[in-house]
Amino acid sequence: MHKYLPHTQNDINEMLEKIQASSIDDLFCSIPEALRLKKDYHVPSQLGDWELTKHMQELANQNKELLIFRGAGSYDHYTPSAVKALVSRQEFLTSYTPYQPEVAQGTLQYIFEYQSMVCELTGMDVSNASMYDGATSTAEAMFMAYAQTKKSDILVSSTMNPKIIDVIKTYARYRNINVILIPSIDGVTDQAFIKENIKDKMGVIVSNPNYFGIIEDYQNLGEIIHQEDALFILNQEGQSLALLKTPGELDADIACGDLQALGVPLSFGGAYIGYLATKQKLVRKMPGRICGITTDVDGKRAFVLTLQAREQHIRRAKANSNICSNQSLNALFVTIYLSLVGKNGFKLFASESLNGAHYLYKNLLETKKFEIVYNQPFFKEFVLKASFDVKAFDTYLIDHGILGPLHIGDNNLLFAVTEKRTQEEIDLLVEMVVNFK
Amino acid sequence: MTKLYDTLIFDLSRKDRIGYQYQPKHLKEIHLPAHLLRETSAELPEVSEFDVVRHYTNVSQKNFGVETGFYPLGSCTMKYNPKINDELATLNGFANIHPLQPDSTTQGLLKIYYETQEILSEISGLKAYSLNPFAGAHGELAGLMIIKAYHEKHNDLKRTKIIVPDSAHGTNPASATVCGFEVVEIKSNPDGTVNVEALKEVLSDEIAGLMLTNPNTAGIFEKDISEISKLVHQAGGLLYYDGANLNALLGRAKPGDMGFDITHINLHKTFSTPHGGGGPGSGPVGVCEKLVEFLPNPIVVKKGDAYALDLAKDSIGSLGMFYGNVSVYLRAYVYLRTLGKENLKDIGGLAVLNANYIKDSLKDLYELPIQGHCMHEFVFDGLKDKSTGVKTLDIAKRLLDYGYHAPTIYFPLIFHQSMMIEPTEVESKDTLDAFINIMRVVARESISDPEIVKNAPHSTLVRRLDEVKAVKNPILKYKDIH
């Protein structure tokens, strides 16, 4: 007997009798004898609840919780208590995809609210119900451009997070899409290169802020791209959407990126959430789920998955994508987070990240142990070149409970500061730098 | 209260209300150049914390979850999601860890990753796993990329086609297309199994592989699997296992023994992690020995007593920013350790027993297109008595009135009135008996009072929806309403 298996021997006997089988083994007679498993799995034995709790706690203790000044695609932000409490309600947690909308109005409603919020964040017309993460949502945006233009080459900025570029390249390679990297000048995308090379390309993918934390100026980029009927795809990290010119204001065709910064825990990199939003004219090229409003037979307002003719369970080989799930629960994290912080808190927290990052930057430079690498505006991340052994520095910080900046080559360090870092914590990091020999 | 609650979070908004408490740091205010700043604020709701808590509690009440009631959704394996999984997967030492910490500070997580790979390898009979794919469909994509990379490495560039049976999940052909393959669909036998003659006709040196789920989507084991495997391999193709229906085989048979070269496993199905209203899932991809070098990056390896992130030799590349949906496979790991080798072996047997029990208890009233024992799920082709005009959709909706989630309907596509039922091993005989009774009540109502079934549901918060209207006049965000 096991707590997850409710059958008594008596139940089993009665059920076997009903189905006229002499044993459970009998039910497997369609499996050829040679393929039937004759022995137990070679896996660990069962653990009692308390032993398992202890085991997991020990494993958890082997991971060091650190004071985090590292970002590069994953950020240590504040998550209000109400978020976790509400997300863990079983009606949200244990439900399935809302294919029976009459008993899934809860999921459908928050997805609708999520889509509405993503449209507000990005300034775009329409959002889907979320994607796996920011990198795959960007790759899916590339597929949209491929479907729309039927062209095979795409320009991708080399100032994007290299992990996103890797995912784009993986997706592109197997579909015979050619990725051309746009060079950078002083840490930003070389837009002259785009102008010279945009002809016959399906589109351009750039990010803001870029991998180095730099806020790039894309004011004229849309025009350059649209002159050749290519698509402008803008990858933007969640919190920066509070302050920076939106993809909509920049006339981007597709906005994509990760929303982990908006209430989703670090969790060693997953599960996160990718967003994807676009203009009305591209809605039928969009992958994934979309929720819309309709009425029921009594005329009552109701929510339902819509435009499903784009999806794999209807169109099969002709679908826009193979995606069958969304990160629904993480979309709920984001929806509740954005409800709690609201219009003003969203801006406030982004400003506090911005202020904190600049405060650290200024104080680090004053230690005289760093050189400026890029003279560019930045948001919550920035790069400085260290004059010391960065590897030893990293170990030194970890020994003191700090996850310091990421070494991105050439003795350049990528620092991140979120609204969660207090002034004392930032001062502590600076002090550690001063004391580092 | 709940029944009448029809408010969007935006409707609760009042200017300057806040739902957070924040101590300002009073650092120097930084002003970015104006041309870089957004011109208008995002119109997010302005609400208090309690507004938010009451709102989403009410919204949650409009949902049916596994703990609400029986969820017999075929091919979706809606099991109980144990509480201990959630508790232990969200310990601070897991939740507060940055993905770019040095390996020396994440040994516990890497060890879990590694052990989960090992357990999945043993259960499926394959050599190695990667937990990177974010969902079942993502695992399919990874598997297909591996097929492509393998043939490319052998300079076998003619292999541009993937065979998919017409009974397959829609993700199979869609994944093959996304991966740049041409899909060759073959007709199934009447019971959804592969028609070996049809297979022989399409096998050639242009075939890269065959995708199969076993048991198939009609709940039938491919008894010819060894021959199918031989034929595909002789033709130079690889055999892909769609792990959506793995639950039936737990403790009973291994896909690797059947000749499958690649598989994905839906952890949220077989290994009991929450479906979360549609995600996040997790779809680890496993391979036989000759394909290990192609696994997606990064991989987790053991060097002496330490675990490390590494790169595979001929990897297909990266499939996501970091290492997959960690919070999901942590739950699967807890589940696997809770059951252990003593109990894992019972799952397939009891899941199959439950499915056969429902099937045999209802086959006098519902059309059973495939006779004999089924595996973990089975398909009815609507009511036996077709004279009433009551369709599968109507029965599904009527079940909602009685507090049951509907089965999967109109899939697989090989039957016109498909109704696919999968009870899983966690449901007791009492629950099954109660469900059987209601299925009988609905069948009787379809004769005595067909209108009540055709117009169902009656007691849900909203009744049948106008889906056409939603497509014709798309309202996809709050601002579209007004």
Side-chain angles (χ1 to χ4, degrees):
Chain A
M1 286 294 110
H2 188 275
K3 64 176 175 172
Y4 304 152
L5 305 173
H7 301 73
T8 65
Q9 192 54 51
N10 196 38
D11 291 337
I12 292 171
N13 294 343
E14 281 179 30
M15 290 164 83
L16 284 171
E17 195 177 328
K18 170 79 198 173
I19 63 179
Q20 296 177 336
S22 58
S23 69
I24 290 178
D25 285 345
D26 255 17
L27 303 173
F28 290 87
C29 57
S30 58
I31 303 183
E33 183 63 30
L35 296 178
R36 272 186 247 173
L37 211 55
K38 310 284 186 315
K39 52 180 190 221
D40 286 353
Y41 291 130
H42 183 63
V43 298
S45 277
Q46 63 179 9
L47 287 175
D49 289 354
W50 173 238
E51 287 75 14
L52 187 58
T53 303
K54 208 169 144 233
H55 173 71
M56 290 303 282
Q57 189 61 62
E58 278 165 14
L59 288 167
N61 293 345
Q62 289 173 27
N63 309 306
K64 227 169 165 179
E65 281 183 79
L66 301 162
L67 181 63
I68 294 170
F69 288 93
R70 193 168 288 188
S74 172
Y75 302 95
D76 184 26
H77 288 283
Y78 156 70
T79 301
S81 306
V83 176
K84 282 185 218 161
L86 291 166
V87 167
S88 59
R89 290 187 65 87
Q90 76 83 19
E91 300 89 339
F92 291 134
L93 190 67
T94 77
S95 60
Y96 190 67
T97 304
Y99 290 143
Q100 294 291 336
E102 297 89 344
V103 289
Q105 287 294 300
T107 298
L108 288 160
Q109 176 168 340
Y110 79 67
I111 286 177
F112 183 82
E113 293 177 346
Y114 165 84
Q115 291 173 182
S116 305
M117 289 180 188
V118 169
C119 289
E120 285 298 323
L121 263 46
T122 57
M124 303 300 281
D125 300 327
V126 42
S127 160
N128 71 9
S130 79
M131 318 287 289
Y132 303 140
D133 74 349
T136 56
S137 76
T138 311
E140 292 288 341
M142 169 178 71
F143 283 166
M144 283 175 70
Y146 180 62
Q148 176 74 6
T149 65
K150 314 270 188 268
K151 291 173 183 166
S152 60
D153 293 354
I154 191 157
L155 300 176
V156 175
S157 176
S158 56
T159 70
M160 290 185 78
N161 188 318
K163 286 182 186 293
I164 302 176
I165 297 177
D166 280 351
V167 175
I168 290 171
K169 281 183 173 171
T170 304
Y171 275 62
R173 173 182 161 195
Y174 295 94
R175 210 159 186 189
N176 298 320
I177 294 172
N178 187 25
V179 173
I180 300 159
L181 286 181
I182 308 162
S184 66
I185 299 173
D186 193 22
V188 299
T189 310
D190 179 0
Q191 297 193 24
F193 180 92
I194 299 177
K195 202 166 188 172
E196 285 155 25
N197 292 280
I198 186 65
K199 202 169 167 34
D200 295 329
K201 306 297 184 294
M202 68 173 85
V204 175
I205 308 180
V206 294
S207 70
N208 205 28
N210 69 24
Y211 184 52
F212 313 114
I214 297 168
I215 305 165
E216 297 205 31
D217 182 355
Y218 295 129
Q219 277 187 106
N220 304 312
L221 188 56
E223 204 181 324
I224 297 170
I225 296 169
H226 293 144
Q227 268 170 7
E228 293 295 333
D229 286 330
L231 296 191
F232 176 10
I233 299 169
L234 180 53
N235 173 299
Q236 191 163 345
E237 174 277 330
Q239 193 180 50
S240 71
L241 291 162
L243 295 182
L244 305 187
K245 194 148 274 182
T246 65
E249 287 167 346
L250 291 167
D251 203 19
D253 299 288
I254 306 171
C256 54
D258 209 296
L259 297 179
Q260 179 268 331
L262 308 182
V264 180
L266 290 165
S267 301
F268 199 44
Y272 290 176
I273 172 173
Y275 72 89
L276 190 69
T278 191
K279 291 176 175 170
Q280 196 64 51
K281 63 172 187 194
L282 291 172
V283 64
R284 279 165 209 275
K285 293 285 187 307
M286 202 175 217
R289 292 186 189 135
I290 300 173
C291 170
I293 286 187
T294 188
T295 46
D296 74 356
V297 285
D298 300 326
K300 195 173 173 194
R301 175 170 81 179
F303 303 90
V304 67
L305 292 179
T306 192
L307 302 170
Q308 292 188 74
R310 304 164 293 108
E311 294 189 76
Q312 42 73 33
H313 63 279
I314 309 278
R315 289 288 295 285
R316 298 174 76 85
K318 292 192 176 70
N320 284 2
S321 81
N322 71 328
I323 287 185
C324 168
S325 60
N326 64 332
Q327 299 288 95
S328 191
L329 212 61
N330 289 26
L332 182 60
F333 260 93
V334 169
T335 307
I336 297 174
Y337 173 89
L338 288 173
S339 303
L340 287 164
V341 303
K343 182 181 177 178
N344 295 323
F346 185 44
K347 277 185 287 190
L348 171 68
F349 289 164
S351 297
E352 289 285 83
S353 294
L354 173 80
N355 297 342
H358 284 76
Y359 175 75
L360 176 63
Y361 181 79
K362 179 174 149 284
N363 284 289
L364 287 174
L365 282 177
E366 280 171 10
T367 66
K368 310 273 187 221
K369 291 186 170 184
F370 296 96
E371 267 176 57
I372 291 175
V373 179
Y374 306 117
N375 204 355
Q376 300 280 1
F378 63 88
F379 172 48
K380 65 183 175 188
E381 288 182 279
F382 58 84
V383 177
L384 286 176
K385 192 184 201 67
S387 60
F388 45 79
D389 176 358
V390 293
K391 219 170 165 188
F393 179 63
D394 198 43
T395 311
Y396 159 80
L397 287 181
I398 282 171
D399 289 344
H400 289 84
I402 297 173
L403 183 66
L406 184 69
H407 181 215
I408 56 170
D410 204 19
N411 247 35
N412 288 340
L413 296 177
L414 177 63
F415 291 84
V417 180
T418 67
E419 79 290 336
K420 213 170 139 182
R421 292 289 78 82
T422 64
Q423 186 174 346
E424 291 71 29
E425 289 168 346
I426 299 172
D427 290 342
L428 173 69
L429 179 63
V430 176
E431 198 188 312
M432 299 295 296
V433 169
V434 171
N435 295 334
F436 179 65
K437 303 285 179 241
Chain B
M1 173 70 194
T2 301
K3 280 232 161 199
L4 299 174
Y5 192 80
D6 183 28
T7 307
L8 287 158
I9 190 73
F10 298 93
D11 299 327
L12 297 173
S13 183
R14 299 291 178 270
K15 194 176 177 326
D16 295 335
R17 218 174 249 173
I18 62 167
Y20 58 91
Q21 216 54 41
Y22 187 73
Q23 190 71 41
K25 284 198 270 284
H26 303 300
L27 295 173
K28 188 182 157 212
E29 194 77 26
I30 300 299
H31 297 284
L32 293 167
H35 70 277
L36 299 177
L37 296 176
R38 68 180 289 163
E39 288 152 31
T40 56
S41 296
E43 289 299 324
L44 296 171
E46 297 179 81
V47 287
S48 71
E49 178 173 322
F50 189 31
D51 285 339
V52 172
V53 171
R54 185 169 278 166
H55 175 73
Y56 286 104
T57 303
N58 274 296
V59 170
S60 79
Q61 299 295 301
K62 301 178 176 189
N63 253 11
F64 190 101
V66 167
E67 291 171 30
T68 310
F70 186 39
Y71 225 124
L73 209 48
S75 247
C76 300
T77 314
M78 298 295 287
K79 294 185 188 188
Y80 166 57
N81 304 130
K83 302 297 181 190
I84 195 170
N85 298 3
D86 296 332
E87 184 186 334
L88 298 183
T90 53
L91 292 172
N92 287 343
F94 300 130
N96 299 340
I97 305 302
H98 193 280
L100 300 175
Q101 291 190 197
D103 291 348
S104 62
T105 66
T106 59
Q107 284 297 300
L109 277 155
L110 294 175
K111 184 175 185 195
I112 291 171
Y113 192 111
Y114 187 83
E115 286 189 6
T116 307
Q117 289 177 176
E118 299 272 287
I119 297 173
L120 296 180
S121 287
E122 167 64 11
I123 288 174
S124 60
L126 287 163
K127 180 70 183 170
Y129 267 83
S130 160
L131 312 184
N132 288 342
F134 291 123
H138 205 221
E140 286 179 23
L141 182 58
L144 289 157
M145 286 173 173
I146 290 170
I147 293 178
K148 208 165 193 183
Y150 171 81
H151 291 309
E152 277 174 11
K153 186 165 183 198
H154 291 86
N155 216 14
D156 203 353
L157 305 176
K158 279 204 308 272
R159 298 194 179 271
T160 56
K161 295 175 181 170
I162 290 284
I163 305 170
V164 179
D166 60 0
S167 66
H169 298 120
T171 48
N172 288 183
S175 296
T177 304
V178 169
C179 195
F181 283 114
E182 192 185 321
V183 175
V184 180
E185 192 174 274
I186 52 167
K187 272 213 128 0
S188 303
N189 291 319
D191 64 357
T193 57
V194 173
N195 184 317
V196 176
E197 292 311 311
L199 174 65
K200 281 180 187 161
E201 275 172 34
V202 297
L203 283 173
S204 73
D205 58 1
E206 291 182 356
I207 296 301
L210 166 68
M211 298 180 86
L212 266 192
T213 184
N214 190 18
N216 68 18
T217 52
I220 301 299
F221 189 86
E222 291 283 354
K223 61 181 184 336
D224 298 327
I225 185 63
S226 296
E227 192 189 352
I228 292 165
S229 162
K230 200 177 81 189
L231 289 169
V232 172
H233 287 139
Q234 272 173 354
L238 295 171
L239 203 57
Y240 182 92
Y241 181 78
D242 174 338
N245 294 343
L246 180 67
N247 206 48
L249 298 185
L250 270 200
R252 297 284 162 176
K254 295 182 181 181
D257 294 347
M258 301 169 199
F260 285 99
D261 301 294
I262 306 165
T263 150
H264 83 262
I265 295 179
N266 306 67
L267 293 182
H268 47 286
K269 296 183 181 179
T270 315
F271 300 109
S272 193
T273 72
H275 287 244
S282 177
V285 60
V287 291
C288 63
E289 186 138 22
K290 67 180 175 193
L291 301 175
V292 173
E293 63 201 275
F294 301 106
L295 283 173
N297 279 330
I299 53 171
V300 176
V301 296
K302 193 176 179 186
K303 291 176 178 166
D305 284 339
Y307 300 89
L309 287 163
D310 204 351
L311 302 177
K313 190 162 82 60
D314 281 315
S315 174
I316 54 166
S318 296
L319 290 172
M321 277 292 275
F322 300 108
Y323 330 116
N325 286 339
V326 182
S327 49
V328 179
Y329 54 70
L330 280 167
R331 286 173 168 83
Y333 176 78
V334 174
Y335 175 77
L336 286 161
R337 297 303 309 267
T338 310
L339 286 155
K341 69 172 164 199
E342 295 81 0
N343 301 292
L344 274 171
K345 65 175 175 9
D346 291 333
I347 289 176
L350 295 173
V352 170
L353 177 66
N354 279 0
N356 279 287
Y357 182 66
I358 297 179
K359 174 177 69 76
D360 283 9
S361 301
L362 289 171
K363 65 183 179 188
D364 57 328
L365 293 175
Y366 290 86
E367 182 75 46
L368 183 66
I370 305 165
Q371 303 303 316
H373 296 318
C374 64
M375 298 297 272
H376 66 303
E377 65 189 3
F378 63 92
V379 184
F380 283 135
D381 194 7
L383 280 166
K384 218 166 187 171
D385 183 351
K386 306 281 186 205
S387 68
T388 62
V390 170
K391 303 266 192 295
T392 281
L393 178 71
D394 307 322
I395 292 162
K397 298 303 181 195
R398 187 64 178 147
L399 285 170
L400 305 179
D401 277 336
Y402 286 108
Y404 291 90
H405 196 277
T408 296
I409 56 172
Y410 300 108
F411 184 82
L413 308 176
I414 52 177
F415 306 113
H416 293 302
Q417 293 294 322
S418 283
M419 183 191 294
M420 187 168 38
I421 295 174
E422 178 182 6
T424 83
E425 72 285 353
V426 300
E427 300 295 348
S428 68
K429 178 171 178 292
D430 308 84
T431 303
L432 304 185
D433 285 337
F435 175 69
I436 289 162
N437 177 48
I438 290 301
M439 286 289 283
R440 300 188 74 84
V441 167
V442 175
R444 282 199 300 270
E445 280 178 348
S446 301
I447 297 161
S448 63
D449 188 3
E451 291 310 307
I452 204 167
V453 183
K454 286 180 189 169
N455 294 317
H458 304 275
S459 62
T460 43
L461 293 177
V462 293
R463 296 178 56 223
R464 273 197 213 188
L465 306 185
D466 188 346
E467 300 197 14
V468 176
K469 183 176 171 183
V471 176
K472 276 192 178 159
N473 176 28
I475 301 173
L476 308 176
K477 61 178 186 292
Y478 185 67
K479 278 192 178 157
D480 295 342
I481 299 175
H482 303 286

